[in-house]
Amino acid sequence: MADSDDATGEMSDGLQVELFHPESDREPGDTNIQAAGFDVHPVVFPVALAIIALFIAVTILLGDTAASAYTWLFNTIGDTFGWFYLLAVNVFIITLLYFAFSKYGNIKIGGVKAEKEFSDFSWMAMLFSAGMGIGLMFFSVSEPLYYFQNPPSFFGAEAGTGAAASAAMAQTFFHWGFHPWAVYGLVGLGLAFFSFNRGLPLTFRSIFWPLLGDRIYGWPGHIIDLVTVFATLFGLSTSLGLGVAQVNTGLSYVGGDMLGAVSIPTGTWPQVALIAGITLIATLSVAAGLDGGVKRLSTLNLYLMFTLLGFLVVVGPTVYLFGTWVEGLGAYFGNILALGFFTGTLNEAANGTPTAWTVFYWGWWIAWSPFVGMFIARISKGRSVREFVLGVLFLPSMFSTLWLSVFGGSAMFNSLAGNGQALATYNEVGQTVAMFALLEQFPLGVVSGLLATLLVITFFVTSSDSGSLVIDHLTSGGKHDVPRTQRIFWALTEGLVASILLIGGGLTALQTAAITTGLPFALILCLMCYTVYLGLDNEYQILESEEFAETIQDLSEREDMDIVTAGDEMVTDISERGDDAPTGTD
């Protein structure tokens, strides 16, 4: 992307600016402080930095007390606010589908003259890599195995049976399917619309313009962006912590148990060392920017995923895996509505599934959504609302179910018809080793194990890259391009926070950070449903106005202009005839 794209408004042409942008003399980052290679917002950056430093200091000083506090807080939030998480995410799905299939679906992100900056393949690669790559690698085997032994009471299946396997796949699909991507889609749509269509800063404060107006540049906006920074940072730290735990265990298992060659230590400090090493790699990538680093690594991730997926399909029980996918989808779709509202309140034998799994996931997705949503918004200019929603909501969800079917289905097959070694190793060592124990049961297990480890590392790097770019936007007043020094600073900060959380409380601390920051942010997302509706409705009214019609009439009389309309005659695209500019780059 061009270095001159500092402000989103500058990326829209005169037509969009004249008719659609709000009347305001403010610009993204117009009050920033520029010094020592930084270009930062005078309030959001220092306040966020101070609170993050305080959090790190308290975690280190309290030691074991901090770990106990994290456990208590995680359980308290899950037990008290679990119902709210479940209700909110269902509202997000309904809202997003309404935007896509209503009259607002033809509205184009960036305005009627906007062009796509990335090809569909590059867009999908970046979208999926940023979304949940590390999580899928971590949980795709361990979560189905857990449910196989502890079937959610919702399904009434007997542990260790085929019915339990079916329930395991349906529950896993539920956690990784439409619900999380609806959260991402809502956030991404709101950010993209108010940034590209209204020329407002690419920060969360902009989404509340319909309610706050110019006050988004004051303390109400500062607070919104600060909450977003913390949700992004701690949601990202959760994923990075999970990823590095799997890298550590994977290297140890492949090098020691499978090869019998190298004994790699596992535990908190080796994982901190790995975070430091991988963060340095991420720093080099984020310094290269969105096109130079993130896009290329995201595309590499996608190729590596397809390679590992295809390998297991070929060497594994192929017919069984596709049958698992179809049967799992049937169980998922058949129960999706009831699962979406299942809190376990009326079922004393709920096995803790809603609190321990669903509520954690929803809190994690919500905390993760500023990062994923803003990144999706940044790469989605030129797509219609309907194309955006269908792309974000359905394609990654379906690919996730396929991935889970291949890896989770292989684990089910090994447990029901094989030697059961994957399940035995999972029970003995833990969830971080589940995928590697499974791959060991097939030919070329060492090679596939190393490939899986490489994939987790590249996901680690792209997640850190994307998170750094997002926090840069938030702490620079919404500017699109910030100094390289600043991008590097946040990449290093993310690694530091993930390390401190691991030292201060391990996996529970990571999960607690995600679910805690997700709670206040869930309230912001609920309000966002209304403000995005107001924005889209205002856009639609302008597109149907006499003033816009007169402008289009003038343009249609020019021989060098092409005007495209939807079925209801609403203008959806304006381009210069013979214009050979690209509509997306690979």
Side-chain angles (χ1 to χ4, degrees):
M1 299 181 183
D3 290 338
S4 61
D5 294 340
D6 285 339
T8 312
E10 297 172 6
M11 301 174 71
S12 305
D13 68 2
L15 175 64
Q16 189 71 19
V17 174
E18 292 172 9
L19 296 181
F20 295 89
H21 285 196
E23 296 182 1
S24 175
D25 57 357
R26 299 296 301 271
E27 295 182 358
D30 57 2
T31 62
N32 279 11
I33 298 174
Q34 299 175 352
F38 286 76
D39 185 356
V40 298
H41 191 276
V43 175
V44 176
F45 180 84
V47 172
L49 206 59
I51 297 178
I52 291 169
L54 178 62
F55 168 81
I56 291 174
V58 169
T59 301
I60 293 175
L61 293 174
L62 291 182
D64 292 339
T65 303
S68 300
Y70 288 137
T71 301
W72 174 84
L73 187 59
F74 178 84
N75 293 330
T76 300
I77 291 178
D79 293 338
T80 307
F81 297 101
W83 64 270
F84 172 70
Y85 277 112
L86 269 65
L87 183 63
V89 174
N90 284 295
V91 169
F92 301 157
I93 289 183
I94 295 170
T95 301
L96 200 62
L97 291 174
Y98 169 71
F99 290 153
F101 294 107
S102 68
K103 61 185 180 182
Y104 308 122
N106 290 320
I107 294 175
K108 183 186 286 189
I109 296 172
V112 291
K113 294 193 70 174
E115 295 181 348
K116 296 177 182 178
E117 295 185 90
F118 300 99
S119 69
D120 291 341
F121 182 80
S122 293
W123 183 62
M124 288 300 301
M126 289 190 285
L127 178 108
F128 193 77
S129 293
M132 51 181 59
I134 288 179
L136 276 179
M137 294 295 295
F138 189 88
F139 288 108
S140 60
V141 177
S142 63
E143 186 171 350
L145 285 177
Y146 174 84
Y147 296 139
F148 180 67
Q149 299 179 100
N150 305 276
S153 61
F154 176 88
F155 294 95
E158 182 182 350
T161 64
S166 178
M169 297 313 302
Q171 186 75 38
T172 306
F173 284 3
F174 170 60
H175 288 155
W176 295 87
F178 296 126
H179 285 73
W181 285 99
V183 178
Y184 298 159
L186 175 66
V187 173
L189 178 61
L191 286 166
F193 175 80
F194 283 101
S195 182
F196 290 118
N197 292 64
R198 291 293 179 266
L200 295 169
L202 187 58
T203 66
F204 264 78
R205 67 177 71 206
S206 298
I207 298 176
F208 297 90
W209 175 271
L211 298 180
L212 298 175
D214 269 327
R215 285 180 294 168
I216 66 168
Y217 297 104
W219 270 104
H222 301 340
I223 293 173
I224 291 170
D225 278 353
L226 282 169
V227 173
T228 308
V229 169
F230 300 136
T232 302
L233 187 65
F234 293 120
L236 181 61
S237 296
T238 300
S239 291
L240 299 186
L242 293 174
V244 79
Q246 192 172 31
V247 170
N248 184 204
T249 307
L251 289 173
S252 176
Y253 193 82
V254 173
D257 295 67
M258 296 175 70
L259 287 176
V262 181
S263 178
I264 297 176
T266 60
T268 299
W269 288 108
Q271 290 168 19
V272 170
L274 283 170
I275 287 177
I278 299 176
T279 298
L280 289 177
I281 299 174
T283 301
L284 295 176
S285 177
V286 78
L290 187 61
D291 284 309
V294 178
K295 187 179 78 172
R296 292 177 181 175
L297 277 175
S298 297
T299 303
L300 173 63
N301 280 347
L302 207 59
Y303 286 132
L304 290 176
M305 285 193 78
F306 280 128
T307 300
L308 188 60
L309 182 71
F311 168 79
L312 198 54
V313 168
V314 171
V315 303
T318 307
V319 175
Y320 183 92
L321 298 182
F322 285 115
T324 297
W325 187 33
V326 174
E327 184 175 336
L329 285 175
Y332 172 43
F333 290 137
N335 294 283
I336 188 172
L337 186 61
L339 278 173
F341 291 91
F342 181 66
T343 64
T345 302
L346 302 178
N347 189 338
E348 295 180 359
N351 293 350
T353 299
T355 298
W357 288 91
T358 306
V359 173
F360 159 64
Y361 274 132
W362 281 196
W364 187 15
W365 303 146
I366 291 171
W368 188 245
S369 67
F371 151 55
V372 180
M374 187 173 292
F375 186 73
I376 293 173
R378 184 68 179 88
I379 63 178
S380 297
K381 182 185 177 185
R383 302 178 186 276
S384 70
V385 170
R386 185 170 297 116
E387 179 185 5
F388 177 94
V389 171
L390 294 180
V392 172
L393 187 59
F394 288 96
L395 293 180
S397 298
M398 288 299 97
F399 182 81
S400 294
T401 61
L402 176 60
W403 178 275
L404 292 165
S405 297
V406 171
F407 286 87
S410 296
M412 296 298 101
F413 181 84
N414 181 260
S415 299
L416 291 169
N419 59 16
Q421 189 58 45
L423 180 60
T425 304
Y426 164 76
N427 288 330
E428 180 182 351
V429 182
Q431 58 186 351
T432 58
V433 80
M435 174 171 284
F436 304 100
L438 174 67
L439 293 174
E440 188 181 16
Q441 309 310 310
F442 299 99
L444 301 176
V446 173
V447 176
S448 59
L450 290 174
L451 178 60
T453 303
L454 175 62
L455 190 54
V456 175
I457 292 173
T458 56
F459 272 128
F460 189 122
V461 173
T462 53
S463 296
S464 179
D465 285 356
S466 305
S468 298
L469 292 171
V470 167
I471 296 178
D472 283 337
H473 293 320
L474 292 169
T475 56
S476 65
K479 283 194 171 183
H480 278 217
D481 294 282
V482 297
R484 181 175 300 176
T485 304
Q486 194 165 319
R487 298 200 300 266
I488 293 173
F489 171 81
W490 283 114
L492 296 174
T493 301
E494 290 159 13
L496 177 63
V497 171
S499 299
I500 295 300
L501 283 170
L502 278 175
I503 295 170
L507 180 59
T508 301
L510 294 167
Q511 293 175 321
T512 303
I515 197 174
T516 303
T517 53
L519 183 60
F521 201 73
L523 296 171
I524 292 178
L525 296 192
C526 289
L527 186 57
M528 182 191 301
C529 293
Y530 180 59
T531 60
V532 174
Y533 162 75
L534 292 177
L536 290 173
D537 190 63
N538 180 250
E539 182 96 352
Y540 185 84
Q541 291 180 23
I542 295 175
L543 290 170
E544 295 288 300
S545 68
E546 293 184 4
E547 182 181 4
F548 185 75
E550 293 174 359
T551 302
I552 296 303
Q553 180 63 35
D554 292 340
L555 290 174
S556 65
E557 295 174 356
R558 292 173 49 181
E559 296 182 355
D560 61 338
M561 300 299 294
D562 280 325
I563 298 176
V564 179
T565 60
D568 58 359
E569 299 303 315
M570 186 180 80
V571 175
T572 58
D573 186 73
I574 300 175
S575 60
E576 293 186 21
R577 191 168 298 159
D579 186 2
D580 57 358
T583 59
T585 57
D586 288 311

